[in-house]
Amino acid sequence: MLNTELIINAVYVLSAALFILGLKLLSHPSTARRGNKLSAIGMLVAICVTLTDQNILAYEWIIVAIIAGSAVGAFIAKKVQLTEMPEMVSLLNGVGGLASLLVALAMLETDTAIDSYLAIIVLLAIAIGGITFSGSVVAWAKLSGKVAKLISSGSTVFSGQAFVNAFIVIAIFVLGALVVIYPQTANSTVYVYSFVALCIVLGVMLVIPIGGADMPVVISLLNSYSGLAACAAGMALNNNLLIVAGALVGASGIILTSVMCKAMNRSLINVLFSGFQAVKATEIKIEGEVKPLAADDAYYVLEAAQSVVVIPGYGMAVAQAQHAMKELQVLLEENGAEVVYGIHPVAGRMPGHMNVLLAEADVPYELLLEMDEVNARMANFDVAIVIGANDVVNPAAREIEGSPIYGMPIINADLAKNVFILKRGMASGFAGIENPLFFKDNARMIFGDAKDTINTIIRQFSD
Amino acid sequence: MSFIYLLMILMLAIFLGFELIRKVPATLHTPLMSGANAVSGITLIGAIAYSGNENLLLAQILGSVSVFLATINVVGGYMVTDRMLAMFKSK
């Protein structure tokens, strides 16, 4: 008896080492794939050894559940479009949270003599798991826009929302205390399930006021929560591996959250609760003339350019312009120009979203530069091509005190010698702010679908 | 005492996580997140024991659904991460 337990735990140590090694190899694109495989092997080993547990009396249910889960997981992983990665990660966050919630519930149902310390930990796992689950479902709905009628992609606020939230939180604490103080009484099941229900409601209430533009922060935070839920379940089940793996995921989500917040020059508190504040209308009028340019004419400038920086935004993904851009990149390189991509941390809808889309279009990862790297040499670029990005290149962040994005770090596209802005029309970005970049002397607007525009330029090169 | 042990492990793992993840370049942040989804499916190993216990039907149902969901995370997470990482190519 004791021997199997010892072996199981020894193998868990190996698995933890593989998870850590896997993360370490993720520090460079050339080793990252190997790292992911090591991590997967660690997981496989852990699952296999857990199946030798003496407490398992029957395998039918386990096997059915694992086969069904694998089928669903493999199906989603193969099917998902890379533009939809934010939705997928969001859903998986929620699924992870729910899994932890259910384990914690199963534990409450099984353990007849639960002590107060354990009860608190189990409730913590339920609470984090529940909030992660429903919060992620709302985030997913906002990102995919599928339930637009029920949940708007913007911020949903109703009067008295703060009071309702406060009431829910208090009720959660009271129910939790009742479960801890009176375990195994007739009412305790009622308390437990009310507790679960309220945590799920709280997750919804916390995410609905957050606007679509802030979803990268919310996904990162919920990613972290899904790890913390596993962590809490591990504390309750006395399982070291759950704690280590959960903590690694938790730390990852927290770091990404802080990267996103810094890139928007906002605090996490501001992101989470600013939905409750009235939107300040900015009366700053930007004077000037927009200078449109035909795609045909853009060719002559690009043909003479020695160095080009491409600044993509979510609009590039919407227009599916990344493959055309890669084609243009090759033509420019054959013409003797250097082409790099400058990627803002919050470009796209989740951390690193643009990088994955460009990698899919076969752009080598050495060309994907971070904001600080391109900003340092911006004045030397002959042309900056802005595709579907707006707020992340808005010089109001540097120049106009009082602008809602003042102080946000941006890619200084306006400092390049020429700026081409590929855009459908004059609409403002997520932040809803006018962009003085469009009115600068060195800026030219190329209106139209980004993909068509780039293809027109490509045709000019071929002729 | 065992609680303190677990707390010690938690504390060390969090610090280790911060050190490791700080070194992940921004270009890999999306695969990092989907990989994190996969790792958070570790709940699976906690759920297996309940899913295999026939004595308590309710706990068995809860455990089995949990195994199902966690497996989606594990398999879906690792596979989609691998799919993405395969696209990152050098010059």
Side-chain angles (χ1 to χ4, degrees):
Chain A
M1 284 292 252
L2 200 94
N3 256 343
T4 24
E5 220 185 297
L6 195 71
I7 291 167
I8 289 175
N9 278 294
V11 172
Y12 283 176
V13 174
L14 176 74
S15 289
L18 286 170
F19 289 155
I20 291 163
L21 214 57
L23 264 185
K24 202 171 149 52
L25 291 178
L26 212 57
S27 63
H28 197 276
S30 60
T31 55
R33 200 171 176 204
R34 194 147 41 92
N36 186 53
K37 283 191 177 126
L38 278 186
S39 179
I41 291 170
M43 181 67 77
L44 184 68
V45 169
I47 294 167
C48 289
V49 79
T50 306
L51 289 171
T52 66
D53 192 327
Q54 305 272 323
N55 294 321
I56 299 174
L57 305 174
Y59 283 91
E60 294 88 345
W61 291 44
I62 301 175
I63 289 164
V64 169
I66 287 184
I67 290 173
S70 303
V72 174
F75 179 77
I76 308 175
K78 286 242 185 269
K79 275 288 203 187
V80 69
Q81 296 280 318
L82 291 187
T83 37
E84 292 167 345
M85 275 314 292
E87 287 93 320
M88 165 146 187
V89 167
S90 209
L91 265 189
L92 290 185
N93 285 341
V95 168
L98 187 58
S100 297
L101 184 159
L102 294 176
V103 172
L105 264 185
M107 189 179 171
L108 268 189
E109 292 292 341
T110 314
D111 209 336
T112 40
I114 200 162
D115 65 21
S116 331
Y117 141 72
L118 211 52
I120 291 172
I121 305 278
V122 171
L123 289 175
L124 195 64
I126 291 177
I128 304 174
I131 291 170
T132 311
F133 166 61
S134 56
S136 298
V137 172
V138 175
W140 168 80
K142 285 194 180 217
L143 284 165
S144 65
K146 285 206 176 100
V147 259
K149 276 177 198 152
L150 281 174
I151 300 162
S152 87
S153 63
S155 111
T156 307
V157 196
F158 55 84
S159 59
Q161 195 167 356
F163 289 103
V164 175
N165 286 359
F167 174 77
I168 295 172
V169 172
I170 292 168
I172 285 174
F173 273 101
V174 171
L175 285 167
L178 287 171
V179 175
V180 173
I181 299 165
Y182 307 108
Q184 305 312 318
T185 55
N187 283 334
S188 111
T189 317
V190 178
Y191 298 150
V192 169
Y193 285 92
S194 314
F195 182 87
V196 172
L198 280 179
C199 289
I200 288 173
V201 173
L202 184 63
V204 174
M205 297 298 283
L206 288 177
V207 180
I208 49 168
I210 304 172
D214 293 334
M215 279 303 127
V217 181
V218 176
I219 307 177
S220 307
L221 192 65
L222 290 169
N223 200 233
S224 168
Y225 285 178
S226 73
L228 296 178
C231 221
M235 291 287 253
L237 295 166
N238 216 338
N239 187 318
N240 286 341
L241 188 56
L242 244 70
I243 295 176
V244 173
L248 292 177
V249 174
S252 151
I254 290 168
I255 287 185
L256 292 176
T257 308
S258 102
V259 168
M260 293 293 104
C261 286
K262 270 201 198 110
M264 296 199 295
N265 191 36
R266 293 168 64 188
S267 68
L268 182 57
I269 301 288
N270 180 275
V271 172
L272 294 182
F273 300 109
S274 65
F276 293 110
Q277 294 158 6
V279 180
K280 276 179 280 177
T282 40
E283 291 299 320
I284 304 162
K285 272 268 181 275
I286 297 154
E287 298 287 321
E289 205 182 331
V290 170
K291 291 164 285 293
L293 184 73
D296 295 336
D297 299 329
Y299 160 73
Y300 296 105
V301 182
L302 284 171
E303 207 233 337
Q306 286 301 302
S307 55
V308 176
V309 58
V310 180
I311 303 157
Y314 188 67
M316 181 190 76
V318 175
Q320 285 292 318
Q322 59 269 37
H323 298 277
M325 190 52 235
K326 156 77 188 181
E327 226 179 298
L328 179 60
Q329 173 209 322
V330 173
L331 288 170
L332 286 167
E333 282 170 342
E334 282 168 359
N335 194 35
E338 184 209 5
V339 182
V340 295
Y341 294 77
I343 297 167
H344 193 278
V346 293
R349 287 190 160 183
M350 73 182 288
H353 194 190
M354 287 297 120
N355 307 67
V356 169
L357 294 176
L358 288 167
E360 188 190 20
D362 275 333
V363 175
Y365 59 75
E366 290 96 340
L367 301 184
L368 309 176
L369 303 184
E370 291 181 30
M371 174 166 62
D372 295 340
E373 290 172 82
V374 283
N375 273 346
R377 40 186 294 219
M378 189 54 82
N380 297 325
F381 286 113
D382 292 326
V383 183
I385 306 177
V386 178
I387 310 178
N390 192 343
D391 297 332
V392 298
V393 290
N394 190 340
R398 240 181 24 238
E399 293 166 350
I400 303 175
E401 244 172 292
S403 163
I405 60 165
Y406 183 72
M408 170 176 150
I410 57 154
I411 297 187
N412 299 321
D414 56 311
L415 300 184
K417 286 171 196 149
N418 295 286
V419 191
F420 291 166
I421 301 132
L422 276 54
K423 218 171 168 327
R424 283 178 170 280
M426 284 302 289
S428 44
F430 260 148
I433 309 153
E434 289 256 17
N435 193 338
L437 172 67
F438 306 157
F439 305 95
K440 298 258 176 186
D441 289 334
N442 57 344
R444 296 289 179 275
M445 307 290 293
I446 308 176
F447 290 113
D449 179 78
K451 196 168 156 190
D452 295 343
T453 304
I454 296 171
N455 280 329
T456 310
I457 301 173
I458 289 172
R459 244 174 281 131
Q460 294 271 345
F461 262 100
S462 323
D463 289 345
Chain B
M1 208 35 213
S2 97
F3 175 66
I4 302 297
Y5 264 129
L6 297 177
L7 213 56
M8 178 70 114
I9 291 168
L10 175 64
M11 187 272 292
L12 291 173
I14 288 176
F15 274 93
L16 178 66
F18 276 133
E19 288 307 314
L20 285 173
I21 287 141
R22 222 191 290 280
K23 296 204 176 74
V24 177
T27 200
L28 293 179
H29 277 169
T30 297
L32 171 66
M33 286 182 83
S34 60
N37 279 147
V39 174
S40 75
I42 191 70
T43 314
L44 175 58
I45 64 166
I48 280 178
Y50 296 108
S51 176
N53 187 343
E54 289 178 316
N55 296 334
L56 268 155
L57 186 65
L58 184 56
Q60 191 178 16
I61 293 170
L62 291 169
S64 302
V65 177
S66 182
V67 168
F68 168 69
L69 295 171
T71 313
I72 295 179
N73 261 15
V74 169
V75 175
Y78 280 122
M79 279 180 67
V80 84
T81 307
D82 187 67
R83 194 181 134 198
M84 277 190 277
L85 290 176
M87 291 169 180
F88 281 85
K89 288 185 205 91
S90 186
K91 263 187 243 185

